[in-house]
Amino acid sequence: MGKFSKSGGREMPELNTASMPDLVFAILFFFMVTTTMRSEELMVRLKLPSATEIQKLEKKSLVTYINIGPAMDPRFGTGTQMQLNDKFAEVEDIQDYIAQEKASMNEADQQLMTVSIKADEQTRMRYISDVKQALRKAYALKISYSARKAEN
Protein backbone atom coordinates (compact mmCIF):
# COMPACT_ATOMS: atom_id res chain seq x y z
CA MET A 1 0.00 0.00 0.00
CA GLY A 2 2.53 2.49 0.99
CA LYS A 3 5.04 3.84 -1.36
CA PHE A 4 7.86 3.38 1.15
CA SER A 5 8.32 -0.07 2.44
CA LYS A 6 10.96 -1.42 4.76
CA SER A 7 13.01 -4.16 3.37
CA GLY A 8 14.48 -6.09 6.23
CA GLY A 9 17.21 -7.62 4.16
CA ARG A 10 19.42 -4.48 3.75
CA GLU A 11 22.90 -4.56 5.19
CA MET A 12 24.88 -1.70 6.66
CA PRO A 13 27.38 -0.30 4.12
CA GLU A 14 31.09 -0.71 4.93
CA LEU A 15 33.01 2.18 6.41
CA ASN A 16 35.76 3.44 4.11
CA THR A 17 39.02 3.59 6.11
CA ALA A 18 41.33 4.63 3.30
CA SER A 19 41.86 8.14 4.72
CA MET A 20 42.42 6.94 8.32
CA PRO A 21 46.27 6.99 8.15
CA ASP A 22 46.17 10.58 6.83
CA LEU A 23 44.07 11.67 9.80
CA VAL A 24 46.33 9.88 12.29
CA PHE A 25 49.46 11.48 10.88
CA ALA A 26 47.82 14.92 10.79
CA ILE A 27 46.88 14.64 14.47
CA LEU A 28 50.34 13.29 15.36
CA PHE A 29 52.00 16.15 13.50
CA PHE A 30 49.76 18.68 15.29
CA PHE A 31 50.76 17.40 18.74
CA MET A 32 54.44 17.22 17.80
CA VAL A 33 54.40 20.86 16.70
CA THR A 34 52.40 22.25 19.63
CA THR A 35 54.06 20.30 22.46
CA THR A 36 57.11 21.78 24.15
CA MET A 37 59.64 19.78 26.06
CA ARG A 38 61.23 20.97 29.28
CA SER A 39 64.76 22.07 28.47
CA GLU A 40 66.20 21.61 31.94
CA GLU A 41 65.64 19.32 34.88
CA LEU A 42 64.56 21.06 38.07
CA MET A 43 67.09 20.34 40.82
CA VAL A 44 65.76 22.67 43.54
CA ARG A 45 62.47 22.45 45.38
CA LEU A 46 60.17 25.37 44.62
CA LYS A 47 57.08 26.28 46.59
CA LEU A 48 56.23 29.62 45.05
CA PRO A 49 54.78 32.33 47.29
CA SER A 50 51.37 33.84 46.61
CA ALA A 51 51.12 36.83 44.31
CA THR A 52 48.54 39.56 43.92
CA GLU A 53 49.64 40.66 40.44
CA ILE A 54 50.89 38.47 37.64
CA GLN A 55 52.67 39.75 34.56
CA LYS A 56 52.54 37.68 31.39
CA LEU A 57 55.86 37.25 29.60
CA GLU A 58 55.71 38.16 25.91
CA LYS A 59 58.27 35.81 24.34
CA LYS A 60 59.14 32.76 26.39
CA SER A 61 62.12 32.02 24.16
CA LEU A 62 63.79 35.19 25.45
CA VAL A 63 63.35 34.25 29.12
CA THR A 64 66.27 32.94 31.16
CA TYR A 65 65.36 31.24 34.43
CA ILE A 66 67.21 31.30 37.75
CA ASN A 67 65.77 28.77 40.23
CA ILE A 68 66.51 29.31 43.93
CA GLY A 69 65.54 26.99 46.78
CA PRO A 70 66.65 23.99 48.81
CA ALA A 71 68.15 21.12 46.81
CA MET A 72 65.86 18.18 46.12
CA ASP A 73 68.69 15.74 46.80
CA PRO A 74 70.16 16.07 50.32
CA ARG A 75 73.61 15.11 48.97
CA PHE A 76 73.89 18.67 47.59
CA GLY A 77 73.31 20.28 50.99
CA THR A 78 70.38 21.52 53.00
CA GLY A 79 70.84 25.26 52.50
CA THR A 80 69.61 27.50 49.73
CA GLN A 81 70.92 26.51 46.29
CA MET A 82 70.79 28.35 42.98
CA GLN A 83 70.28 26.48 39.71
CA LEU A 84 71.42 27.93 36.38
CA ASN A 85 70.37 25.63 33.53
CA ASP A 86 71.15 22.09 34.72
CA LYS A 87 73.79 22.80 37.37
CA PHE A 88 74.14 24.43 40.74
CA ALA A 89 75.97 27.75 40.84
CA GLU A 90 76.99 30.56 43.15
CA VAL A 91 75.98 34.21 42.96
CA GLU A 92 79.41 35.02 41.49
CA ASP A 93 78.64 32.81 38.46
CA ILE A 94 75.64 34.91 37.37
CA GLN A 95 77.60 37.42 35.29
CA ASP A 96 79.23 34.69 33.20
CA TYR A 97 75.88 32.90 32.85
CA ILE A 98 74.10 36.04 31.61
CA ALA A 99 76.96 36.78 29.19
CA GLN A 100 76.67 33.24 27.76
CA GLU A 101 72.89 33.53 27.40
CA LYS A 102 73.19 36.91 25.65
CA ALA A 103 75.88 35.54 23.33
CA SER A 104 73.52 32.77 22.22
CA MET A 105 70.89 35.34 21.12
CA ASN A 106 70.92 37.65 18.14
CA GLU A 107 71.67 41.31 18.80
CA ALA A 108 68.08 42.55 18.52
CA ASP A 109 66.82 40.00 21.06
CA GLN A 110 69.54 40.78 23.62
CA GLN A 111 67.74 43.97 24.66
CA LEU A 112 64.49 42.02 25.11
CA MET A 113 66.03 39.25 27.24
CA THR A 114 64.17 38.76 30.54
CA VAL A 115 65.63 37.01 33.59
CA SER A 116 62.96 35.26 35.66
CA ILE A 117 63.81 34.46 39.27
CA LYS A 118 61.85 31.51 40.61
CA ALA A 119 62.51 31.34 44.34
CA ASP A 120 61.12 29.11 47.07
CA GLU A 121 58.93 30.97 49.55
CA GLN A 122 61.38 30.15 52.37
CA THR A 123 64.34 31.76 50.57
CA ARG A 124 65.82 34.68 52.50
CA MET A 125 65.43 38.09 50.88
CA ARG A 126 69.16 38.72 51.43
CA TYR A 127 69.94 35.94 48.95
CA ILE A 128 67.46 37.37 46.41
CA SER A 129 69.04 40.83 46.86
CA ASP A 130 72.51 39.40 46.18
CA VAL A 131 71.21 37.75 43.00
CA LYS A 132 69.58 41.02 41.89
CA GLN A 133 72.83 42.94 42.49
CA ALA A 134 74.74 40.40 40.40
CA LEU A 135 72.14 40.74 37.63
CA ARG A 136 72.55 44.52 37.66
CA LYS A 137 76.32 44.11 37.28
CA ALA A 138 75.67 41.75 34.35
CA TYR A 139 73.41 44.38 32.71
CA ALA A 140 70.34 42.18 32.81
CA LEU A 141 67.80 44.92 32.18
CA LYS A 142 64.51 43.07 32.66
CA ILE A 143 64.00 40.97 35.79
CA SER A 144 60.75 39.23 36.72
CA TYR A 145 59.78 37.20 39.77
CA SER A 146 57.68 34.05 39.69
CA ALA A 147 54.94 33.32 42.17
CA ARG A 148 51.71 31.40 42.20
CA LYS A 149 48.49 33.36 41.91
CA ALA A 150 46.80 34.08 45.22
CA GLU A 151 43.49 32.30 45.60
CA ASN A 152 40.58 34.40 46.82
Side-chain angles (χ1 to χ4, degrees), residues 69-80:
M72 287 189 181
D73 193 343
R75 292 181 296 166
F76 297 116
T78 57
T80 301

Side-chain angles (χ1 to χ4, degrees), residues 1 12 19 22 54 56 62 71 80 95 104 107 119 126 135:
M1 276 212 168
M12 188 75 156
S19 62
D22 295 336
I54 295 182
K56 186 170 171 84
L62 299 177
T80 301
Q95 286 181 318
S104 68
E107 199 169 320
R126 170 119 180 125
L135 287 170

Side-chain angles (χ1 to χ4, degrees), residues 3 20 32 37 46 53 66 70-71 74 91 103 117 124 129 141:
K3 202 173 190 182
M20 186 87 65
M32 286 175 53
M37 302 299 261
L46 293 175
E53 287 185 33
I66 296 177
V91 176
I117 299 173
R124 301 258 181 221
S129 296
L141 303 175

Side-chain angles (χ1 to χ4, degrees), residues 21-140:
D22 295 336
L23 290 173
V24 170
F25 286 118
I27 292 171
L28 179 65
F29 181 73
F30 170 77
F31 284 115
M32 286 175 53
V33 169
T34 58
T35 304
T36 59
M37 302 299 261
R38 176 168 266 205
S39 60
E40 61 186 44
E41 182 179 340
L42 198 58
M43 299 167 62
V44 294
R45 194 172 326 118
L46 293 175
K47 184 177 179 193
L48 299 176
S50 297
T52 55
E53 287 185 33
I54 295 182
Q55 178 183 6
K56 186 170 171 84
L57 299 171
E58 291 115 24
K59 280 181 121 180
K60 286 195 174 190
S61 62
L62 299 177
V63 178
T64 302
Y65 293 97
I66 296 177
N67 299 309
I68 302 171
M72 287 189 181
D73 193 343
R75 292 181 296 166
F76 297 116
T78 57
T80 301
Q81 300 286 333
M82 180 172 55
Q83 179 183 348
L84 304 175
N85 285 339
D86 279 333
K87 61 183 179 196
F88 290 120
E90 298 296 323
V91 176
E92 298 81 31
D93 301 331
I94 290 178
Q95 286 181 318
D96 294 333
Y97 173 69
I98 296 299
Q100 285 176 345
E101 291 293 313
K102 281 187 175 182
S104 68
M105 297 178 179
N106 65 34
E107 199 169 320
D109 288 342
Q110 288 179 2
Q111 298 298 319
L112 300 173
M113 180 179 139
T114 302
V115 178
S116 177
I117 299 173
K118 288 185 174 183
D120 186 70
E121 67 182 357
Q122 299 298 321
T123 303
R124 301 258 181 221
M125 196 60 202
R126 170 119 180 125
Y127 197 86
I128 303 289
S129 296
D130 292 344
V131 169
K132 286 170 52 178
Q133 288 297 331
L135 287 170
R136 285 186 189 108
K137 289 178 186 173
Y139 299 107

